[in-house]
Amino acid sequence: MTSHEPRTHAGRRVDGLLDADIALLTALHNQVLTEAGQGQLAALMADLRNATTRALCDGDQDAPRRIVDALDVSEAARLAQALTVHFHLTNLAEERHRSRGQSGGRSSDAPVTDDVWPDVAALGPQVASRLDRLVVHPVFTAHPTEARRRAVASALNRIAVQLERYDDARNGPHEQAFARRRMLEEINILHRTSPLRSTPPQPTDEVRTLMTVFDQTLFRAVPRLYRAVERALGGGEPGWQAPVVPAFARFGTWVGGDRDGNPFVTAEVTRQTMAIHADHVLRALAEGTERVARTLTMSDENTPASPALRNSLAVDAVTAPQVFAEIAASSPGESHRHKLLFVAARLVATRRASLDLAYRDPGELLADLRLVQTSLRLAGDVRGAHGELQHLIWQAETFGFHLAEIEVRQHSAVHAAAIEELLSQLDGAVTDGSRLTLLDDLAVHGWPDHVRPITESTREVLDTLRVMALMQERWGRRCCGRYVVSFTQHAEHLVTVRALARLAVGDRPLRLDVVPLFETGRDLNGATAVLEEWLQLESTQSWLGQRDRNVEVMVGYSDSAKDVGPASATLTLYDTQTDLVAWAKRHEVRLTIFHGRGGSLGRGGGPVHRAILAQPPGSVADRFKVTEQGEVIFARYADVALAQAHLERLTSAVLLADTDPVNSANPSALRYADVAAQVEKTSRQTYLDLVHTPGFADVVAESSPLEELGQLRLGSRPARRSGATEGRDLSDFRAIPWVFAWAQIRANVPGWYGLGSGLDAVGDMDLLRAAYREWPLFASLIDIAEMSLAKANRQLAESFLALGGRPDITAAVLAEFDLTRRTVLATLDQDELLQHKPQLRTRIALRSPDIDALSHLQLRALRLLRDRGAETETGSDPHTKEQWGRVLLLTVNGAAAGLQNTG
């Protein structure tokens, strides 16, 4: 062990533990570089880091550029990759730090769970009475923001295991030496692994990547979550009584189901996705059941089986005589164990599709598990009944045989084209006035026999609906029943899906919940009008009766912020949710609002717990559904402790929302309505003035790596809507790559632009400060802007924007940056950004020098690739241009790892 490798010890500050982990991993990385004959690279990283640090402290601003400009293309590529490895190692140390804080309670970053559960518990019976209707529903998506390859993630997981081993005080010098050697080996692998994908991932690759979250984390974290809630709410010692906490968590996924703009997601892909889900969950349930069974060694003499269990075992003995005989012979006189081992065998058969022994549905499995639980309880073994066996029951209730509910998403325009093709085959003209009524009639009563799909795209839409029905038949109705309609603008967009489903499956059973997605500012404002018209339809009323008047409505953060700016979008979303709550109350509808939040600050990112508590009164009502995506998935679900803590944050916030203490703060929206109106109006106009400036979209494309994102092969969905190379329009850019690009050029425009003008227009700083103190939504808006500004770098942003060749646009962005920074600081009554958020400030400061170093490298690559006069560097040699193109992609990949919430 060298002097560069400080050991950690119990009792040290967690910040010290984090510093020690980073120092150790950095020293090992430097050793790997030296052993590879690249010792000078470690020195170069240190020199550049020191230069960027001095630049941050008002030192020589040009020093980083001089260092970078002296590099040839090979050196630049090696430096970019080394910095990327450094970021991954830093993230690993920080994830471990957060996990250590959650599980050990030693973190100086006090977990939200520690602060919130006492507030929840203080509500007493009021909370307990709401548990039966509680739903916490994260939905994972495959948007292209996770730049990390699966090979890189796997190497980091192996390093994390060895770092834990190295720091375990119970291990002696030999174990520590072993762990150190293994870390060197894995860091060497990481150093030699290309961070760039050679081919784009296919949709099923994205599905398999997501499975690691369930396999390694969520399957174990969910029972721990339920125990944490049980413990927080009191009412007796957990495990010594029947649990009062139901399986309230639900998990959804768009991975393998979201075909909006992704031609590679087909009906067959969705079917394969469900098969992958079922394989993983059935294997986990079988292994868990066998594990619990091996522990139930109580004998029939002191823990006799109930009559019902004995009868069930008798049936098992004739159902599969050989299997049962082997089980009974291995553990005679242990009936509870026999039953669970037989359950495990049936789960294996279900996974293998051995129909004679397979379960037909999760209900049959749960009946068997509860049979064993009841028998143990009747025999007096309460702990055996409500211990690990209860965990198994919770897992079966939560995950079923489908693991996560696959949600289908498609653009309303695709359905419109399909329905146009089909309606053209009907006798008589279809007028605009009769169209909605006709579609409703087709959805309820069916289509004429002669109507058939003509084009492949229409066949694909119908096949998707058929596959949904088939999957429900095989894996249960929960497995895939939601159909999200992007860019919903009319009631017709919703009933069209029902009409198409009726043609696709006829009278066959299909649970189809059509979910409208309102995304743009205009669509959000018109949401309740669309729902009013939709609610009057016969097909809607029939469906509502089947679903106990449960309605789900999705609101989008990505396109609304891109459409009208971050401040206007935030305030518009609040107003829309308020209107939706009133609409649901008028029509006695039980509403679930599905929040399409991204990980980035420009897409609704930020602390989810605080965001939930800032929602309008009545909009949560014990149900919260939200998207989780990109690098945010792995940041929040990297290990069991982190996943449990995040789910506890969600759960505690949902239980606190709509309670008197929280609702007493939210009516401040009425008191500050004039402030909100002024900020919304001015910020929107300021944002629109910028993005509608002629040539603005071209400036963004030229000054950022937006055009090159497709070459990173981040996801299976294309990054651009069009292939225009000039005269681009804002609509050409998808919301996620749009935000990703702004983060790369260190401007973070989608997180703050327009807010400064909006605050300045109010003109009363005392009023703004009061709004910040008293109105949670306004406070959240200001805090997110503060964080976004803190992650920006004004000087680098100016240099990037200069590549666009439009000084007027650069000046507009920088002027609004300065105004927003000034007004946000004044509203917060602070001298510096993040002055009262030391942990976040430390996290950003930890990465800033290295991110700035990558940004300087990225700037140089972009200058060479964009500046057609730079012949001295790139010449006309296409190979040299290709090499600098690779350097650019390496910097994008590395900056994504450093910035983290980029999309």
Side-chain angles (χ1 to χ4, degrees):
M1 185 170 65
T2 73
S3 60
H4 296 289
E5 303 168 17
R7 287 279 294 145
T8 58
H9 299 282
R12 288 182 61 184
R13 292 189 313 111
V14 173
D15 287 349
L17 296 171
L18 174 60
D19 290 343
D21 283 347
I22 291 175
L24 170 62
L25 292 171
T26 300
L28 295 176
H29 184 205
N30 288 344
Q31 182 176 337
V32 165
L33 291 174
T34 301
E35 291 172 351
Q38 298 177 10
Q40 77 283 0
L41 193 55
L44 178 60
M45 278 200 298
D47 290 344
L48 185 53
R49 185 183 298 118
N50 290 335
T52 54
T53 300
R54 288 192 295 270
L56 284 168
C57 301
D58 297 325
D60 185 350
Q61 300 295 311
D62 293 327
R65 178 171 179 173
R66 287 197 299 270
I67 293 173
V68 168
D69 283 354
L71 303 175
D72 64 28
V73 67
S74 297
E75 291 170 325
R78 287 194 294 270
L79 178 58
Q81 184 157 346
L83 284 167
T84 302
V85 170
H86 173 74
F87 277 131
H88 286 315
L89 295 175
T90 299
N91 291 344
L92 184 155
E94 197 169 63
E95 286 172 4
R96 185 166 181 262
H97 162 62
R98 289 190 292 122
S99 177
R100 182 163 47 209
Q102 298 297 345
S103 57
R106 294 180 290 162
S107 175
S108 57
D109 294 332
V112 175
T113 46
D114 288 350
D115 296 333
V116 173
W117 281 123
D119 293 337
V120 175
L123 297 171
Q126 182 186 153
V127 170
S129 66
R130 292 161 45 206
L131 287 176
D132 284 341
R133 60 177 188 263
L134 175 66
V135 179
V136 175
H137 195 157
V139 178
F140 301 109
T141 76
H143 290 306
T145 60
E146 170 56 51
R148 188 170 57 175
R149 286 183 60 199
R150 197 184 332 180
V152 170
S154 298
L156 289 168
N157 286 336
R158 296 192 297 269
I159 295 168
V161 170
Q162 297 308 321
L163 182 58
E164 194 70 36
R165 187 182 213 167
Y166 181 87
D167 271 350
D168 192 335
R170 296 169 297 181
N171 290 333
H174 293 297
E175 281 292 304
Q176 292 164 11
F178 176 88
R180 183 183 181 281
R181 179 188 65 77
R182 288 286 293 112
M183 280 191 284
L184 280 168
E185 183 180 342
E186 295 297 345
I187 293 173
N188 175 65
I189 292 171
L190 188 61
H191 165 68
R192 295 173 184 275
T193 298
S194 173
L196 305 179
R197 296 180 175 95
S198 58
T199 58
Q202 298 301 306
T204 50
D205 295 329
E206 295 171 329
V207 173
R208 295 186 191 281
T209 298
L210 180 62
M211 289 300 98
T212 61
V213 171
F214 288 93
D215 294 344
Q216 298 175 10
T217 301
L218 283 175
F219 202 74
R220 289 185 292 151
V222 161
R224 292 174 54 163
L225 166 69
Y226 297 150
R227 287 296 187 199
V229 178
E230 188 179 34
R231 184 172 57 252
L233 297 181
E237 183 182 349
W240 182 243
Q241 60 181 1
V244 297
V245 177
F248 59 79
R250 292 291 179 267
F251 296 94
T253 180
W254 284 6
V255 187
D258 181 8
R259 57 252 300 136
D260 179 8
N262 191 342
F264 306 111
V265 177
T266 63
E268 175 57 19
V269 164
T270 301
R271 188 195 64 76
Q272 291 175 12
T273 298
M274 188 67 257
I276 294 170
H277 280 210
D279 182 68
H280 280 256
V281 72
L282 288 168
R283 181 176 65 236
L285 286 169
E287 291 173 353
T289 302
E290 183 162 353
R291 178 182 55 79
V292 175
R294 299 295 179 192
T295 68
L296 296 185
T297 56
M298 56 283 292
S299 69
D300 290 346
E301 293 180 1
N302 56 36
T303 312
S306 67
L309 179 58
R310 291 197 302 272
N311 289 339
S312 180
L313 289 170
V315 173
D316 295 341
V318 298
T319 300
Q322 184 175 350
V323 172
F324 187 83
E326 291 174 359
I327 290 172
S330 67
S331 52
E334 296 173 0
S335 295
H336 298 93
R337 188 180 192 184
H338 292 171
K339 184 62 187 179
L340 275 193
L341 287 173
F342 196 79
V343 168
R346 291 195 67 184
L347 284 167
V348 171
T350 307
R351 184 177 172 224
R352 295 174 178 170
S354 301
L355 298 183
D356 288 347
L357 200 54
Y359 283 111
R360 286 175 295 184
D361 55 53
E364 283 191 342
L365 166 65
L366 283 165
D368 277 350
L369 296 177
R370 290 182 178 127
L371 179 65
V372 176
Q373 186 178 59
T374 301
S375 179
L376 287 168
R377 190 169 58 245
L378 290 174
D381 187 1
V382 178
R383 287 205 178 275
H386 300 300
E388 290 297 300
L389 178 56
Q390 178 59 46
H391 288 194
L392 192 60
I393 290 172
W394 273 329
Q395 288 166 330
E397 289 175 323
T398 301
F399 299 108
F401 289 171
H402 60 276
L403 190 64
E405 300 173 28
I406 300 173
E407 301 193 358
V408 171
R409 183 173 75 135
Q410 184 57 281
H411 199 291
S412 58
V414 173
H415 304 137
I419 207 72
E420 200 66 45
E421 173 184 314
L422 297 167
L423 290 179
S424 69
Q425 301 175 46
L426 299 181
D427 297 331
V430 180
T431 65
D432 290 341
S434 65
R435 189 184 183 93
L436 187 63
T437 303
L438 173 61
L439 290 171
D440 190 38
D441 184 72
L442 292 170
V444 174
H445 302 293
W447 292 71
D449 291 339
H450 70 275
V451 176
R452 294 285 186 275
I454 300 170
T455 63
E456 181 58 35
S457 59
T458 299
R459 274 192 291 272
E460 177 59 35
V461 170
L462 298 177
D463 283 348
T464 296
L465 291 156
R466 292 178 184 121
V467 162
M468 291 176 70
L470 286 170
M471 293 192 306
Q472 289 182 22
E473 190 178 304
R474 177 65 185 90
W475 302 111
R477 297 185 68 190
R478 276 177 53 197
C479 76
C480 182
R482 288 181 178 83
Y483 199 116
V484 180
V485 182
S486 299
F487 286 92
T488 297
Q489 297 173 324
H490 312 285
E492 182 181 312
H493 289 161
L494 302 177
V495 72
T496 290
V497 178
R498 293 207 170 277
L500 291 169
R502 186 59 187 262
L503 179 62
V505 302
D507 293 327
R508 288 179 54 199
L510 170 62
R511 193 210 93 185
L512 183 66
D513 297 331
V514 182
V515 179
L517 169 50
F518 300 105
E519 300 181 78
T520 67
R522 181 179 178 181
D523 292 347
L524 287 166
N525 287 326
T528 52
V530 171
L531 294 173
E532 281 286 349
E533 188 174 22
W534 170 72
L535 193 65
Q536 309 310 314
L537 301 176
E538 182 183 352
S539 57
T540 306
Q541 288 295 324
S542 174
W543 167 78
L544 275 177
Q546 300 166 18
R547 300 288 291 143
D548 297 325
R549 301 190 71 77
N550 281 280
V551 173
E552 188 172 302
V553 176
M554 186 173 183
V555 292
Y557 290 65
S558 310
D559 282 281
S560 59
K562 176 169 162 276
D563 184 43
V564 296
S568 178
T570 298
L571 296 167
T572 300
L573 281 161
Y574 187 92
D575 290 342
T576 296
Q577 291 180 70
T578 301
D579 292 343
L580 288 171
V581 170
W583 171 82
K585 187 175 182 180
R586 282 198 307 274
H587 296 288
E588 298 181 334
V589 162
R590 189 161 186 251
L591 176 69
T592 297
I593 297 178
F594 180 10
H595 300 264
R597 295 167 61 93
S600 68
L601 303 176
R603 300 190 55 246
V608 179
H609 178 273
R610 186 167 186 177
I612 295 172
L613 297 181
Q615 300 306 305
S619 64
V620 177
D622 303 317
R623 299 175 303 281
F624 188 72
K625 186 175 179 184
V626 64
T627 52
E628 304 266 39
Q629 67 189 38
E631 72 281 0
V632 169
I633 294 176
F634 293 96
R636 291 174 175 167
Y637 301 93
D639 68 14
V640 174
L642 290 178
Q644 179 187 343
H646 175 62
L647 292 170
E648 284 189 54
R649 288 185 182 95
L650 290 179
T651 303
S652 59
V654 172
L655 288 171
L656 285 173
D658 295 318
T659 60
D660 291 340
V662 173
N663 284 344
S664 64
N666 279 327
S668 297
L670 300 176
R671 292 201 294 274
Y672 296 105
D674 292 342
V675 171
Q678 185 65 69
V679 171
E680 194 280 329
K681 177 183 176 182
T682 306
S683 68
R684 177 195 294 244
Q685 191 57 55
T686 302
Y687 178 83
L688 293 178
D689 287 345
L690 175 71
V691 299
H692 290 165
T693 301
F696 174 75
D698 287 334
V699 169
V700 177
E702 289 296 309
S703 63
S704 77
L706 186 63
E707 294 295 304
E708 287 79 10
L709 288 182
Q711 298 173 43
L712 270 175
R713 304 175 179 91
L714 299 181
S716 63
R717 192 168 77 169
R720 282 278 306 278
R721 286 193 172 96
S722 82
T725 57
E726 59 182 18
R728 302 170 184 86
D729 186 79
L730 200 60
S731 61
D732 290 334
F733 305 136
R734 295 190 187 283
I736 296 163
W738 161 262
V739 173
F740 192 99
W742 281 110
Q744 290 284 324
I745 70 171
R746 310 302 303 283
N748 293 337
V749 158
W752 55 264
Y753 197 91
L755 176 61
S757 292
L759 297 175
D760 192 52
V762 174
D764 186 337
M765 195 49 63
D766 289 336
L767 183 62
L768 291 172
R769 288 171 180 161
Y772 179 80
R773 289 192 304 270
E774 298 174 14
W775 185 16
L777 180 80
F778 186 75
S780 178
L781 174 62
I782 296 296
D783 287 346
I784 286 175
E786 180 192 23
M787 192 188 312
S788 190
L789 291 165
K791 288 194 171 190
N793 182 307
R794 188 189 189 281
Q795 183 190 19
L796 283 166
E798 182 176 9
S799 297
F800 275 107
L801 286 168
L803 298 177
R806 287 287 299 274
D808 57 326
I809 290 177
T810 300
V813 172
L814 296 178
E816 185 66 19
F817 180 92
D818 293 338
L819 178 60
T820 304
R821 188 180 190 278
R822 186 166 63 250
T823 52
V824 165
L825 285 173
T827 302
L828 292 167
D829 198 14
Q830 294 176 185
D831 297 322
E832 297 178 359
L833 295 171
L834 304 179
Q835 187 172 319
H836 301 303
K837 301 177 180 68
Q839 286 80 29
L840 179 58
R841 187 177 179 183
T842 298
R843 288 184 66 191
I844 292 174
L846 180 70
R847 290 175 167 80
S848 288
D850 298 286
I851 295 173
D852 290 353
L854 273 171
S855 293
H856 281 286
L857 276 171
Q858 187 175 123
L859 257 172
R860 184 175 180 207
L862 276 173
R863 283 192 187 108
L864 295 174
L865 294 170
R866 299 286 189 263
D867 184 1
R868 290 162 179 79
E871 297 299 324
T872 55
E873 294 260 13
T874 60
S876 57
D877 180 8
H879 178 63
T880 304
K881 287 183 178 291
E882 182 181 338
Q883 287 180 301
W884 278 109
R886 177 175 170 78
V887 171
L888 178 64
L889 296 180
L890 288 168
T891 64
V892 170
N893 186 285
L899 292 165
Q900 293 191 302
N901 57 350
T902 55

